[in-house]
Every structure is written in structure tokens, then in C-alpha cells.
């Protein structure tokens, strides 16, 4: 599998060129997006025509993770006759939330083939997508993506998550862990449902992850300190990823 980071941003930031969460995973003939946050839609085009995506997986209904489904919907609706459709796996209320933005019932369904992600595995082409509910919003998922053939390690994406241990059941030894590290080196303020470097490092160690990729760093947080705080808890490779990062998994 290959991972291309299209957007690594949190909800807001002053980092020039930053856009909302969006990670493209490809394996043989199959291409899947994990999240489609603000500003990331145009970044799909250099890699693949959006209508050719096999699926988009939405971790939860915060705009930095799903709001660019709106330009995707318009693109599919207005650039093709008849409209094209793309499969979208996400929280139960995703369609209603998109419809509410335009106050048009059926707005999303015109171009998006919406399915509840749920827990457990779903087949998407040559990939398996496995969701697991995590602490963040009422319905937030971490996701494992792996070759459906069972060959090779998988990629576990945290989405946004307030308890690292919620993600642990998804991680198989050797997997790559792509984890939000909103609060950098930490600590995470009490009652806030996000992760920091030490919690991600601890998760990677306890699950025998093969590699850690950190993302979703809040404005003003130090990336080097975040990596160092994770390295203090985990002996494997750790790096911060940014838009344009391309990784072989
Ligand atoms: Zn977020
Ligand atoms: Zn969130």
C-alpha cells in the first residue's frame, strides 16, 4: 500500500497551505481517501480523478474531516451528465448533515453513495476497511485499512480520538499507526478528546506497531517536540507527516 498525505491540518491553523485531514491510500487498482477536510478537495486531482475513487471513509462529523464532500458533491453533480457517484462510508448522520448545510433534502444522495461505516470490516476493491468507535464525538471512528488478500501490514488511522487505548484493538503487530497528535508533546487538557505524543507512543509500544506517523498538530504546537515526546515512549520510527508526504507502507 502507499499513503499520500493530502491534508494534515486540524480545525484551524496559521500554517500556510494547510488543509483539513485527507489521506489517500492506494493498493494495486484500489484507491481510498481517509477523510476530506477543508481545502483538500483540489489536492485530489494531481493523483486521481475524484470520480475514480473507490471510496471515501469519513472518521467523524467535524468539518476538518468531512466538509470538502460538498465540493466533491458539486463536482460529481455538475461536471457529469448524468451525475457520477462515489461511495462514502461514514457516521450514520453524514447524509443529513450535508443536506442541512444546503437545506435541501437529498442533496448528498444525488452524488454520494452513503453507507454507515459501523464497526467491523467492509470490502472496498482490493482493500479491507475496518472501523472501530473511539472517544471523540458521539460517532467517531478509527479505521484500519489493509490489503484484502491479507498480505502485508495495515494502516491504522486514529481519526480524532480522546483515548489511545480505544484504537488498540485495531492495531496488528507491524502496522503503521497514523495518529492525531493535536496537543503535540502534551499534555492534553482535562476533558478534551484528543491525543498527544506520549499517548501515541505508548499505544505504538503496547500494540507493537511497526511505525508511527503523526498528524493533525494544532496551531502553535512544536512538531519536533511532538515527535520527541512520542519517541520517548516508543523505539520504532516516528515522523510528523505533512501535505505531500508520500510513504510506502
Ligand atoms: Zn480534527
Ligand atoms: Zn474532531
Amino acid at each position: 500500500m502507499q499513503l499520500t498525505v493530502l491534508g494534515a491540518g486540524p480545525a484551524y491553523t496559521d500554517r500556510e497551505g494547510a488543509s483539513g485531514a485527507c489521506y489517500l491510500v492506494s493498493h494495486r487498482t484500489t484507491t481510498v481517501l481517509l477523510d476530506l477536510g477543508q481545502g483538500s478537495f483540489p489536492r485530489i486531482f494531481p493523483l486521481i480523478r475524484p470520480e475514480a475513487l473507490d471510496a471515501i471513509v469519513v472518521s467523524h462529523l467535524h468539518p476538518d474531516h468531512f466538509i470538502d464532500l460538498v465540493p466533491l458533491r458539486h463536482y460529481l453533480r455538475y461536471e457529469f451528465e448524468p451525475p457520477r457517484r462515489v461511495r462514502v462510508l461514514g457516521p450514520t448522520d453524514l447524509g443529513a448533515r450535508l443536506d442541512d448545510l444546503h437545506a435541501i433534502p437529498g442533496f448528498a444522495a444525488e452524488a454520494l453513495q452513503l453507507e454507515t461505516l459501523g464497526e467491523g470490516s467492509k470490502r472496498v476493491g482490493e482493500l479491507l476497511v475496518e472501523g472501530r468507535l473511539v472517544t471523540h464525538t458521539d460517532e467517531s471512528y478509527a479505521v484500519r485499512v489493509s490489503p484484502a488478500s491479507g498480505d502485508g501490514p495495515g494502516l491504522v488511522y486514529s481519526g480524532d480520538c480522546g483515548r489511545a487505548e480505544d484504537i488498540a484493538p485495531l492495531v496488528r503487530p507491524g502496522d503503521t499507526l497514523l495518529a492525531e497528535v493535536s496537543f503535540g508533546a502534551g499534555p492534553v487538557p482535562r476533558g478534551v478528546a484528543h491525543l498527544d505524543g506520549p499517548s501515541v507512543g505508548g499505544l505504538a509500544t503496547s500494540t507493537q506497531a511497526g511505525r508511527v506517523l503523526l498528524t493533525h498538530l494544532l496551531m502553535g504546537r512544536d512538531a519536533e517536540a511532538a515527535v520527541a515526546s512520542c519517541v520517548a515512549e516508543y523505539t520504532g520510527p516516528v515522523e510528523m507527516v505533512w501535505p505531500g508526504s508520500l510513504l510506502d507502507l
Side-chain angles (χ1 to χ4, degrees), residues 137-162:
T137 61
D138 286 351
E139 188 178 355
S140 288
Y141 295 96
V143 179
R144 181 176 192 264
V145 180
S146 60
S149 60
D151 300 334
L155 170 71
V156 175
Y157 170 50
S158 65
D160 286 354
C161 178

Side-chain angles (χ1 to χ4, degrees), residues 101-125:
L101 283 169
H102 278 66
I104 300 174
F107 168 86
E110 276 194 70
L112 305 177
Q113 185 187 322
L114 297 162
E115 293 172 43
T116 297
L117 175 57
E119 293 199 310
S121 294
K122 286 182 182 266
R123 181 82 180 246
V124 178

Side-chain angles (χ1 to χ4, degrees), residues 4 13 27 65 67 72 74-75 81 93-94 99 104-105 122 131 140-141 157 170 172 179 190-191 207 222 235 239 241:
T4 308
T13 181
H27 175 61
H65 295 259
I67 203 66
L72 172 68
H74 290 326
Y75 167 80
E81 186 54 49
D93 292 339
L94 175 56
D99 291 358
I104 300 174
K122 286 182 182 266
S140 288
Y141 295 96
Y157 170 50
L170 280 182
R172 319 277 200 279
R190 257 185 120 68
T207 57
D222 186 314
T235 56
E239 65 183 292
V241 296

Side-chain angles (χ1 to χ4, degrees), residues 27-225:
H27 175 61
R28 297 187 181 157
T29 61
T30 302
T31 305
V32 169
L33 281 189
L34 304 177
D35 284 337
L36 188 49
Q38 75 272 11
S40 286
F41 174 71
R43 290 187 167 160
I44 301 170
F45 287 86
L47 296 163
I48 186 172
R49 303 293 297 181
E51 67 274 20
L53 290 165
D54 293 282
I56 299 170
V57 179
V58 173
S59 64
H60 67 290
L61 297 185
H62 281 157
D64 56 317
H65 295 259
F66 84 96
I67 203 66
D68 266 20
L69 288 174
V70 173
L72 172 68
R73 180 270 186 198
H74 290 326
Y75 167 80
L76 297 169
R77 171 72 178 78
Y78 296 117
E79 291 295 318
F80 301 94
E81 186 54 49
R84 299 285 291 268
R85 293 167 67 78
V86 169
R87 185 179 179 194
V88 181
L89 310 175
T92 311
D93 292 339
L94 175 56
R97 189 70 62 90
L98 289 166
D99 291 358
D100 285 350
L101 283 169
H102 278 66
I104 300 174
F107 168 86
E110 276 194 70
L112 305 177
Q113 185 187 322
L114 297 162
E115 293 172 43
T116 297
L117 175 57
E119 293 199 310
S121 294
K122 286 182 182 266
R123 181 82 180 246
V124 178
E126 297 191 66
L127 290 169
L128 272 187
V129 174
E130 183 179 357
R132 182 174 172 85
L133 289 166
V134 298
T135 303
H136 187 62
T137 61
D138 286 351
E139 188 178 355
S140 288
Y141 295 96
V143 179
R144 181 176 192 264
V145 180
S146 60
S149 60
D151 300 334
L155 170 71
V156 175
Y157 170 50
S158 65
D160 286 354
C161 178
R163 276 168 35 104
E165 53 268 42
D166 292 349
I167 303 166
L170 280 182
V171 185
R172 319 277 200 279
D175 280 357
T176 294
L177 182 57
L178 171 63
E180 69 119 320
V181 66
S182 294
F183 285 86
V188 177
R190 257 185 120 68
V192 174
H194 281 290
L195 299 177
D196 58 15
S199 57
V200 172
L203 171 67
T205 295
S206 68
T207 57
Q208 300 174 51
R211 176 186 197 178
V212 172
L213 307 174
L214 300 176
T215 190
H216 200 276
L217 187 68
L218 290 182
M219 176 172 161
R221 299 278 163 167
D222 186 314
E224 282 183 27

